[in-house]
Amino acid sequence: LKDLVNQICQSTEYHLLFTAANTDVGGVIINETLRELAANNSRVTFVESLGRTNYYTAQKVAAVMLGNSSSGLIEAHSFGIPVVNVGSRQDGRLRNANCVDVAVDVPAILTALQTATDPAFKSKFSLLPNIYGDGKSSERIVDFVRSTAWDKLLLKRSTF
């Protein structure tokens, strides 16, 4: 993690925002490492949690998402964010075309980061729909409920 962060800082202009790892095995060590990196590098910020509103705001302005969160597979496409999905934690889950899957390997992650941030990659996936929906399901449900003739729904015709 230290090597990856240092190499990203050396090769890009990005400011890195990290949220805390969850309670998976090794999460405490990851969080300690992230706190240390943030304390020693002004381009690294570590927070325990952004909360919902700040998290969505961060996604709105982010250039790329890097990690192994289901949020990268599910939500990031709605914000037009490319995702570098690291490791096998999300194996078996559906993913949008904005995801670049990569092994836990610093050179491979750096290559995937270049791929994901290439404007041609973003223009390709931004034309595709989000497989998890377009955010308008509640409107469709309300329209369905309003347009259904509920008084006629349970009428049954005798066929004898």
Side-chain angles (χ1 to χ4, degrees):
L1 184 57
K2 287 179 182 178
D3 186 33
L4 175 63
V5 169
N6 289 333
Q7 288 197 42
I8 290 173
C9 287
Q10 289 172 7
S11 62
T12 73
E13 298 290 321
Y14 295 136
H15 183 99
L16 307 177
L17 171 61
F18 289 96
T19 56
N22 64 18
T23 57
D24 288 353
V25 174
V28 171
I29 294 169
I30 292 169
N31 291 339
E32 289 171 1
T33 303
L34 292 171
R35 277 188 197 88
E36 178 187 328
L37 287 164
N40 296 315
N41 187 331
S42 63
R43 289 179 47 208
V44 177
T45 299
F46 173 74
V47 294
E48 289 291 327
S49 173
L50 290 169
R52 182 177 300 205
T53 301
N54 290 334
Y55 184 70
Y56 291 146
T57 300
Q59 285 192 61
K60 190 174 181 179
V61 299
V64 64
M65 183 185 290
L66 172 65
N68 61 17
S69 172
S70 60
S71 179
L73 278 60
I74 297 169
E75 300 161 351
H77 188 281
S78 295
F79 291 92
I81 307 169
V83 174
V84 176
N85 179 53
V86 180
S88 59
R89 186 168 182 257
Q90 301 303 328
D91 282 358
R93 290 190 177 196
L94 295 175
R95 57 203 7 87
N96 279 293
N98 63 322
C99 294
V100 177
D101 295 309
V102 65
V104 181
D105 174 75
V106 172
I109 294 169
L110 293 170
T111 299
L113 190 59
Q114 288 178 330
T115 299
T117 56
D118 184 317
F121 178 78
K122 187 172 182 177
S123 68
K124 185 170 34 170
F125 81 76
S126 65
L127 299 174
L128 300 172
N130 185 336
I131 62 172
Y132 289 99
D134 61 5
K136 297 180 181 177
S137 60
S138 61
E139 295 166 22
R140 289 186 187 104
I141 292 168
V142 169
D143 288 344
F144 172 79
V145 169
R146 284 185 179 152
S147 67
T148 300
W150 296 100
D151 59 331
K152 295 183 170 105
L153 188 63
L154 298 177
L155 295 178
K156 183 176 179 184
R157 190 178 98 176
S158 176
T159 57
F160 298 103

